[in-house]
Amino acid sequence: MTTPPTPPPLSETDDRVLKRLRRIEGQVRGLQRMIEEGRDCHDILIQLSGVRSALDAAGEQILEQYASGCRAHPGEKVTPQDVVRAVKLLRG
């Protein structure tokens, strides 16, 4: 039986992104509660806007990591086309 490979240690940036994603997860749970409680649509939209902004910021951090090469294939240089492709993915 083979054991799965051990993931590399998290970088400081990875740690920050994970913390941000956990906060976003809490914000999304808050949105669910707001809807369940029948809260005002205006308040829900404000919270939703905050979640979107937080996701955008997390995406930008991940894109920055990718552009600097740490999320590319090991040993391969990140090309401008790679960055354009990643930006298109991020912008949906």
Side-chain angles (χ1 to χ4, degrees):
M1 180 186 266
T2 59
T3 58
T6 304
L10 293 178
S11 70
E12 186 177 318
T13 303
D14 287 337
D15 193 46
R16 281 195 313 267
V17 168
L18 283 172
K19 285 178 184 173
R20 184 181 294 268
L21 290 172
R22 288 183 185 111
R23 282 193 305 270
I24 293 168
E25 181 181 24
Q27 288 177 300
V28 170
R29 281 195 304 270
L31 271 169
Q32 292 169 336
R33 263 191 317 276
M34 291 173 79
I35 292 170
E36 290 169 349
E37 294 169 358
R39 297 277 298 272
D40 182 69
C41 288
H42 184 261
D43 294 339
I44 293 170
L45 288 171
I46 290 171
Q47 180 73 6
L48 184 61
S49 177
V51 170
R52 281 187 178 166
S53 294
L55 278 171
D56 286 344
E60 288 170 11
Q61 283 184 328
I62 293 168
L63 177 61
E64 193 174 302
Q65 272 188 307
Y66 181 84
S68 68
C70 78
R71 291 289 181 217
H73 299 288
E76 290 184 22
K77 187 175 179 182
V78 177
T79 67
Q81 293 83 7
D82 292 330
V83 175
V84 168
R85 203 171 18 252
V87 169
K88 285 182 179 179
L89 282 171
L90 183 62
R91 296 295 172 212

